[in-house]
Amino acid sequence: MTAAALGRAGGGSPRQFLRFCCVGGAGFCVDALALMLLVRAAGLDPITARIPSAAVAILTTFELNRRWAFRGAGARRYGAALLAYAGVQSLGLACNVAVYTGCYLLLPPPLGAPLVCLVAASAAALLVNYAGASRVVFRREA
């Protein structure tokens, strides 16, 4: 599928979808950095560490999506938009965590390494997150 088709399927434009993907890349970097800090520096196990690392990534992507990928879309107040974003992203997070945990627990090294599992989980959740952001949180009013 092309970016144009994915953008339209998710309820937005190809340009918006590509921007969303860029924001997702930034969110992935934030998530990965937080995950590695929590695992290596704080000593948390890789599954428990996903909860705070994902929370930081969700806050980061909300701000970036609001200011760039979906700039000018939606008329919700900040707090309402953040709550709606957290709500729809929880579906993507559930998908992400399920794939991450399954990879970590079931795949042998090096495929079961935390960063490899994070890549697979993030890819699986991308379309769920985009559809939620474009159709619910940042949809343009007719």
Side-chain angles (χ1 to χ4, degrees):
M1 255 186 155
T2 65
L6 290 170
R8 284 189 295 277
S13 70
R15 184 176 186 184
Q16 189 178 66
F17 178 73
L18 290 174
R19 286 183 175 193
F20 182 83
C21 288
C22 290
V23 168
F28 173 82
C29 292
V30 168
D31 198 346
L33 177 63
L35 178 65
M36 290 296 95
L37 285 172
L38 291 166
V39 169
R40 294 194 176 152
L44 292 178
D45 72 85
I47 293 173
T48 303
R50 282 295 288 132
I51 296 168
S53 75
V56 171
I58 288 170
L59 288 172
T60 301
T61 59
F62 170 73
E63 282 298 326
L64 293 173
N65 277 317
R66 185 175 158 271
R67 294 171 187 264
W68 185 56
F70 297 99
R71 180 180 49 229
R76 296 175 192 240
R77 290 189 202 159
Y78 184 87
L82 179 58
L83 285 175
Y85 187 81
V88 297
Q89 296 307 299
S90 67
L91 293 174
L93 178 59
C95 174
N96 186 303
V97 170
V99 171
Y100 175 84
T101 303
C103 287
Y104 182 74
L105 294 175
L106 300 174
L107 296 177
L111 296 176
L115 284 179
V116 175
C117 297
L118 182 60
V119 169
S122 297
L126 174 68
L127 290 178
V128 172
N129 289 335
Y130 179 68
S134 64
R135 292 177 184 243
V136 176
V137 181
F138 301 112
R139 81 171 170 261
R140 294 193 185 275
E141 299 300 322

